[in-house]
Amino acid sequence: MGNMGDMTEPRWLTDEEQRVWRAYLHATTLLEDHLDRQLQRDAGMPHVYYGLLVQLSQAPRRRLRMTELARSAKITRSRLSHAIARLEKNDWVRREDCPSDKRGQFAQLTDEGMEVLRRNAPGHVAAVRQAMFDRLSPEQVEQLGAIMRVMAEGLEPTDAGADLPWLR
């Protein structure tokens, strides 16, 4: 084989791990599609836009710096900028320059945006409940929450050079 150094055989997934991985991909793809279709039908926006409105609604004075909104939404800054531009066209969000940082901007939820959330939250919560929580026992909900927290912590390194969506 010659000098291949320390190359070792990959740790292939076991049959059970492969089944779990495929079930996870299948379920998360279907869940995101389910929520997107519900929100497109009822609110005329994709799930990611709804999530941005929710983030802003929960922020002090219903506004966040764009960099913070990208971080909390776990999306790239360019995707956020495109989404905010679309939300601005609907008068659901407005951008404001940051007085302390000439390069920074805030996104602020408007009264119209708050009303869109108020009208559409019940249908969205019903879709989430029907797709996920109504199908799980309380123990499964607790286990799923613990599993997702462990996964998220492992995928969100804190070192300065981390390659995370909101830093791109």
Side-chain angles (χ1 to χ4, degrees), residues 13 16-29:
L13 298 179
E16 179 61 14
E17 288 168 336
Q18 188 71 252
R19 279 190 293 277
V20 169
W21 175 241
R22 287 183 179 161
Y24 169 82
L25 289 176
H26 192 181
T28 55
T29 301

Side-chain angles (χ1 to χ4, degrees), residues 40-64:
Q40 285 288 4
R41 181 187 68 236
D42 296 349
M45 74 177 102
H47 188 219
V48 69
Y49 290 16
Y50 182 86
L52 294 172
L53 297 181
V54 169
Q55 292 284 329
L56 290 171
S57 75
Q58 295 171 343
R61 296 174 44 208
R62 298 190 321 211
R63 76 178 202 167
L64 285 170

